[in-house]
Amino acid sequence: MRLNSPKLNIMYKACMKASKSLIRDFGEIENLQISSKGPGDFVSSADKRTEKIIIDELLKAYPDYGILSEEMGKINEKNKTNRWIIDPIDGTSNFLNGIPQFAISIGYEEENEIKNGIIYDPIKNELFFAEVGGGAFLNNSRIRVSKKKNLKNSLIGTGGPRSNSKLKDQIFKEFFEVSYNTETPIRRFGSASLDLANVACGRFDGFWQRELSYWDIAAGIVIIKEAGGFIDFLDGKTDESKKMNIVASNSIIHNELVDLIKKKNIENN
Ligand code: IPD
Ligand code: CA
Ligand code: CA
């Protein structure tokens, strides 16, 4: 594996250490599902356990780097230059239901730009990673986005809406519109980081989703770009404390996908 940059190396170590405990925890889920209490509390402690292992490893290597992590929030907030962006389990509902589609996602940000990203699917043992200027990889192989030329023949993924979303009607209209313009049914796999990894390695030709958080997408941003793809914010980049609306693609079908999503919204206004 070509993890020959110091940052990627540390991220990899943290990720592998955390994934051992995560796989063990996933093995417990089946037993808990049939118990009357259900696995809810256990999953939230698995989330925290995984996060702690990752954060401890990263802080051991770079004690004064900032951290933005889903469960723990911010650490070393004063450091605005170097920051890790962490989602310890992306795909929690899948994890909770014993569905093997979840990942650890870690991005490294320098001067507000994501420089390195790792997305690890511990069940398939698939490690997606990239460093700015160094290309994107899946385990030992270089990855590239697909070469699909039009939306009609493309495989598109999405996610959401959240149960309490104020954008539900709009999101369903977008789904409707994209569905009418693609031959293969839209995929919804429930782990945004893996959805982005799927675009990067050409399994998906495009992906869009509203109301994501920065930790869902940070690692994916650099992995998609380094794989030759394009990732963009639907209504301009929002503040990281807010939800983000994104479109990612192989670049070629990007405008077609964005125009379709926006067309529907313009019609509604
Ligand atoms: C969620 C997953 C899911 C997406 C949600 C995210 P979590 O992250 O990425 O695919 O639809 O919006 O919140 O909660 O499993 O870390
Ligand atoms: Ca997430
Ligand atoms: Ca999470």
Side-chain angles (χ1 to χ4, degrees):
M1 245 174 260
R2 299 164 65 156
L3 288 156
N4 44 9
S5 98
K7 293 285 171 352
L8 280 175
N9 240 300
I10 297 297
M11 293 158 89
Y12 175 73
K13 263 178 70 183
C15 197
M16 288 304 131
K17 196 165 175 192
S19 73
K20 288 202 183 89
S21 118
L22 192 57
I23 291 168
R24 262 198 312 273
D25 288 342
F26 188 61
E28 281 295 310
I29 294 286
E30 215 169 305
N31 301 330
L32 291 165
Q33 246 149 9
I34 48 171
S35 82
S36 57
K37 239 179 115 202
D41 291 348
F42 176 78
V43 169
S44 104
S45 51
D47 225 344
K48 294 197 174 77
R49 224 180 347 259
T50 313
E51 183 179 59
K52 185 173 182 329
I53 298 171
I54 297 169
I55 291 178
D56 286 352
E57 279 300 302
L58 296 176
L59 286 179
K60 204 158 75 186
Y62 296 98
D64 56 356
Y65 276 20
I67 285 177
L68 170 66
S69 190
E70 182 175 14
E71 307 301 322
M72 220 180 259
K74 292 184 176 178
I75 298 174
N76 291 338
E77 251 189 275
K78 276 196 197 126
N79 189 339
K80 308 266 181 230
T81 315
N82 319 88
R83 204 159 63 131
W84 307 105
I85 318 289
I86 305 162
D87 193 342
I89 308 179
D90 182 51
T92 328
S93 307
N94 285 340
F95 187 90
L96 177 73
N97 287 285
I99 299 169
Q101 176 76 3
F102 55 89
I104 294 173
S105 175
I106 310 173
Y108 170 65
E109 186 197 64
E110 211 171 85
E111 310 280 6
N112 294 318
E113 192 198 340
I114 303 290
K115 300 280 189 192
N116 300 77
I118 273 192
I119 298 169
Y120 183 55
D121 174 340
I123 303 300
K124 295 194 209 74
N125 189 26
E126 288 191 332
L127 183 80
F128 298 86
F129 61 96
E131 176 164 68
V132 166
F137 294 83
L138 164 51
N139 294 343
N140 294 312
S141 308
R142 183 92 192 243
I143 49 171
R144 294 221 137 262
V145 290
S146 78
K147 292 196 165 63
K148 220 62 86 53
K149 288 202 169 41
N150 55 56
L151 195 62
K152 191 166 175 272
N153 303 316
S154 292
L155 181 61
I156 306 295
T158 192
R162 303 167 162 272
S163 63
N164 58 354
S165 172
K166 293 196 172 69
L167 301 177
K168 251 188 186 173
D169 288 351
Q170 180 181 335
I171 290 168
F172 283 128
K173 277 172 190 148
E174 290 169 2
F175 189 95
F176 193 82
E177 193 71 18
V178 175
S179 169
Y180 263 107
N181 286 279
T182 45
E183 279 177 352
T184 313
I186 297 168
R187 295 315 194 239
R188 290 176 78 261
F189 289 166
S191 164
S193 62
L194 287 179
D195 291 328
L196 294 177
N198 278 340
V199 174
C201 70
R203 292 172 185 163
F204 283 177
D205 306 299
F207 172 77
W208 94 102
Q209 186 169 349
R210 292 190 178 270
E211 304 179 317
L212 287 171
S213 298
Y214 194 31
W215 45 79
D216 298 317
I217 60 172
I221 290 175
V222 62
I223 297 175
I224 294 230
K225 284 186 188 161
E226 286 299 315
F230 193 58
I231 176 160
D232 203 6
F233 297 88
L234 267 167
D235 318 299
K237 192 172 189 293
T238 51
D239 186 273
E240 75 182 32
S241 63
K242 302 207 175 74
K243 295 292 178 193
M244 296 174 172
N245 304 323
I246 62 145
V247 185
S249 76
N250 67 359
S251 297
I252 314 171
I253 61 154
H254 203 86
N255 289 345
E256 215 188 332
L257 182 57
V258 170
D259 286 352
L260 204 59
I261 293 166
K262 290 210 167 152
K263 177 184 141 209
K264 204 64 210 166
N265 296 329
I266 290 162
E267 278 172 7
N268 288 327
N269 288 334

